[in-house]
């Protein structure tokens, strides 16, 4: 009965036609974007994969020591030894390179967009439903148009990861700036500060702990999406996960999954520690003591 009352809306066909038109019309632009992303990814992958395992592991552990302390450094070093011990080190470095490229681009778009949304209610009203759409759409769906446009390889994985992971960066940046005490902002205006100076010297420093929480979420979502992108040949830890699923190989699936967990814990702890090092976060922590 529904067939007679509500005609079928060919939304899927419209989107398919739009993607086909876009692929044909902007083919040179997409080829340029693909070459650029492949170049950046390959360069970063060479930096992470070429040195001996222990060199990269010590450098990453030193980063953990700098941001948090010896406990995180020691735990990270043990985790990296476990990844190498299950023969997933090269895949882990490929995944880390994908995460870094995708997260940096996502944050470069998300933070300015979040600032704009915080300073303009109309922009916020437009951006919010788009972010809702991006966050609720199943992650696998993002891979379909990116494969049509960029074929297989790391690039469709990077593009899909950017779209999938960008939303929390926008939301947390907007939230952090809107939560800044209005009296502090008005005091800045009273002293004759320009809007740009108020943003740089008052709003962003006070919102930094919240923005860093968004950075953490962007990185974690990037890692989860990069693993899914192994289905389209993005490489990294997603490749053995997909292979284990296809062959019902429990051993390979556990080893690759464990490597993903260790990498996720390292990235989470490091980015959280960076947020705790912000002056405002330190002042709040001191006030609680």
């Amino acid at each position: 009965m529904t067939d007679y009352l509500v005609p079928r809306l060919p939304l899927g066909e419209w989107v398919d036609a739009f993607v086909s038109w876009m692929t044909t019309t902007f083919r040179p632009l997409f080829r340029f974007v693909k070459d650029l992303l492949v170049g950046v990814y390959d360069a970063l992958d060479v930096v992470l994969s070429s040195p001996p395992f222990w060199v990269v592991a010590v450098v990453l552990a030193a980063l953990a020591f700098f941001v948090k302390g010896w406990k995180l450094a020691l735990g990270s070093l043990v985790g990296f030894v476990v990844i190498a011990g299950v023969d997933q080190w090269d895949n882990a470095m490929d995944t880390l390179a994908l995460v870094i490229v995708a997260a940096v681009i996502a944050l470069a778009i998300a933070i300015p967009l979040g600032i704009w949304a915080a300073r303009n209610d109309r922009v916020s009203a437009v951006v919010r439903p788009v972010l809702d759409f991006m966050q609720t759409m199943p992650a696998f769906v993002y891979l379909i148009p990116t494969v049509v446009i960029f074929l297989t390889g790391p690039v469709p994985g990077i593009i899909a990861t950017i779209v999938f992971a960008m939303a929390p960066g926008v939301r947390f940046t907007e939230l952090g700036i809107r939560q800044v005490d209005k009296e502090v902002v008005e005091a800045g205006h009273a002293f004759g500060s320009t809007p740009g100076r108020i943003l740089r010297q008052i709003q962003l420093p006070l919102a930094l702990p919240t923005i860093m929480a968004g950075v953490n979420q962007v990185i974690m979502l990037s890692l989860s999406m990069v693993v899914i992108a192994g289905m389209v040949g993005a490489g990294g830890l997603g490749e053995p996960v997909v292979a284990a699923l296809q062959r019902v190989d429990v051993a390979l699936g556990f080893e690759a999954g464990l490597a993903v967990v260790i990498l996720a814990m390292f990235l989470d702890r490091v980015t959280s520690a960076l947020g705790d090092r912000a002056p405002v976060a330190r002042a709040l922590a001191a006030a609680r003591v």
Side-chain angles (χ1 to χ4, degrees):
M1 187 172 181
T2 306
D3 294 342
Y4 296 103
L5 296 177
V6 182
R8 184 182 183 281
L9 295 174
L11 289 177
E13 285 80 355
W14 294 345
V15 172
D16 181 49
F18 175 72
V19 171
S20 299
W21 170 81
M22 201 168 58
T23 305
T24 305
T25 307
F26 299 103
R27 191 181 301 278
L29 175 63
F30 292 142
R31 189 177 296 121
F32 170 75
V33 171
K34 183 176 183 178
D35 292 342
L36 180 64
L37 289 178
V38 167
V40 173
Y41 167 72
D42 286 345
L44 187 57
D45 195 40
V46 167
V47 171
L48 292 173
S49 301
S50 296
F53 144 73
W54 61 269
V55 173
V56 180
V58 168
V59 170
L60 294 177
L63 174 64
F65 177 79
F66 174 74
V67 299
K68 188 67 176 180
W70 68 270
K71 291 181 180 178
L72 181 59
L74 181 61
S76 301
L77 203 55
V78 171
F80 296 143
V81 171
V82 171
I83 292 176
V86 296
D87 201 22
Q88 294 294 335
W89 180 255
D90 290 338
N91 287 330
M93 291 302 99
D94 292 346
T95 296
L96 186 58
L98 280 169
V99 168
I100 292 174
V101 173
V104 167
I105 297 174
L107 290 171
I109 299 171
I111 292 178
L113 188 57
I115 293 172
W116 192 17
R119 296 165 71 91
N120 190 316
D121 290 338
R122 291 182 180 176
V123 174
S124 178
V126 173
V127 166
R128 199 169 300 166
V130 176
L131 296 179
D132 292 339
F133 177 85
M134 290 166 62
Q135 283 192 297
T136 52
M137 180 66 74
F140 293 94
V141 176
Y142 290 116
L143 293 174
I144 301 171
T146 55
V147 167
V148 172
I149 295 172
F150 297 103
L151 305 178
T152 57
V155 175
I158 292 173
I159 299 293
T161 303
I162 292 169
V163 176
F164 180 70
M166 198 170 63
V170 180
R171 289 190 192 280
F172 276 77
T173 301
E174 180 183 358
L175 177 66
I177 292 176
R178 285 185 181 275
Q179 282 182 334
V180 173
D181 194 336
K182 291 183 179 178
E183 292 184 359
V184 178
V185 177
E186 289 174 0
H189 285 295
F191 281 99
S193 299
T194 62
R197 193 171 181 182
I198 290 173
L199 175 66
R200 290 192 306 273
Q201 298 185 353
I202 296 177
Q203 292 175 312
L204 285 180
L206 292 176
L208 191 57
T210 307
I211 294 174
M212 285 305 298
V215 171
N216 176 276
Q217 290 301 303
V218 169
I219 292 174
M220 300 311 292
L221 284 178
S222 297
L223 181 59
S224 66
M225 187 63 192
V226 160
V227 173
I228 295 173
M231 298 180 67
V232 295
L237 291 168
E239 194 171 300
V241 169
V242 173
L245 186 63
Q246 291 172 338
R247 301 201 300 258
V248 197
D249 189 337
V250 177
L252 179 60
F254 179 79
E255 291 174 354
L258 181 63
V260 171
V261 170
I262 292 171
L263 203 56
M265 291 178 66
F266 170 76
L267 293 171
D268 177 64
R269 300 299 186 273
V270 168
T271 51
S272 297
L274 285 173
D276 294 339
R277 290 170 66 88
V280 174
R282 287 183 175 181
L284 291 173
R288 294 192 202 101
V289 176

